[in-house]
Amino acid sequence: MNYLSINDINSLHDWVQEAITIKKDPLKDHTLGKDKSIGLLFFNSSLRTRLSTQKAALNLGLNPIVMNFSNEGWALEFEDGTIMDQGKSEHVKEAAQVISQYCDIIAIRAFALLEDKEKDQAEEVLLNFKKYASVPIVNMESSVGHPLQALADAITLAEYNQKKSPKVVLSWAPHPKALPHAVANSFVQMMQLQDAEFVITHPEGYELDPEITKNSKIEYNQEEAFKNADFIYVKNWSSFSDYGQVISKDKNWMIDQPKMNLTNNAKFMHCLPVRRNVIVADEVLDGENSLVIEQANNRTYAAQLVLKKILENE
Ligand code: CP
């Protein structure tokens, strides 16, 4: 079993309920991973993913081994048949097989580079590790998706939702740098599995991949989208059609209290890290309706559920 995308969840409802059960007694399965190791490979920075996945592994008795490829590993080559006479020292073919000798599970973080749409969409790093490794692979945020984050978000929604079909709004907000689409993509895919009124709002030109959004409603007027919302999930992403470009930094899209006042006393969600007073005003982030710390807390139980399922399956 691998956990590469939201598509690997066979029943979101059952997974969320199981994660909530784990949260009540996180050490119940503390011997399940005894004498086994998980390799956490980071090609990019992380706070939450790195620590919550280590914590989840430790809760299962699984030994985490962490490697930062950005400054510790050999520079990896991913293309087949390359003459490796330039900067890359090791091919993923050997690296993935070698790491499989030391680790029973491999988890990988490798963001989109936002330079070559085709390469990013092909999930070059994640899927080459899957191709050449002989152990299960977990996605800790790839070019296209962040399914551990979306699973944690689903747990948080379940914990705070009080309606059969809540209104959930995914809103773009401005950011000075070009950011990938992974968090938004997985959130959309996860919401498509929920009984909810789901609306995506962003300036024109920021449409996500239509193969991800499918029939999800898009409302270009943010204030209209916020009306009667029960949850506001905020994230920046760069343009998908004008790939990787920042085509707007419109400050009017920042989330502030007057905007939250348009909602049905909505809860505020963000995956973190977040830029204060750029994406969201202090008053909202620090307000009583902010769920960001609980979302981060639930990253442990999302990861623990995934690792538990993999260990039980092996
Ligand atoms: N939300 C999230 O994935 O946080 P990190 O980038 O700090 O891991």
Side-chain angles (χ1 to χ4, degrees), residues 9-29:
I9 298 176
N10 55 9
S11 165
L12 181 62
H13 175 266
D14 291 353
W15 281 43
V16 166
Q17 292 312 310
E18 193 174 342
I20 289 171
T21 303
I22 289 170
K23 188 174 179 178
K24 287 176 186 152
D25 187 5
L27 298 179
K28 182 168 175 276
D29 297 307

Side-chain angles (χ1 to χ4, degrees), residues 45-50 109 141 146 149 271-273 299:
S45 305
S46 171
L47 188 161
R48 280 142 291 273
T49 305
R50 177 168 173 158
R109 164 163 283 201
E141 188 172 342
H146 195 354
Q149 179 67 54
C271 64
L272 304 182
R299 291 295 307 273

Side-chain angles (χ1 to χ4, degrees), residues 37 96 123 135 148 170 174 180 190 207 219 231 239 250 265 280 303:
S37 301
E123 297 272 42
V135 298
L148 285 175
L170 169 63
M190 180 275 289
E207 292 77 11
E219 166 60 66
F231 293 90
S239 175
D250 188 350
N265 196 27
V280 55

Side-chain angles (χ1 to χ4, degrees), residues 48 173-176 234 251 254-256 268 270 272-288 290-293:
R48 280 142 291 273
H175 194 281
V234 181
K251 291 185 175 131
M254 184 182 84
I255 313 305
D256 57 13
F268 173 84
H270 189 285
L272 304 182
V274 71
R275 291 190 183 227
R276 283 175 174 264
N277 304 308
V278 176
I279 294 266
V280 55
D282 284 341
E283 59 194 359
V284 176
L285 192 59
D286 297 330
E288 61 180 18
S290 174
L291 300 184
V292 297
I293 304 303

Side-chain angles (χ1 to χ4, degrees), residues 199-210:
V199 180
I200 307 170
T201 185
H202 53 69
E204 289 192 38
Y206 275 101
E207 292 77 11
L208 293 162
D209 181 354

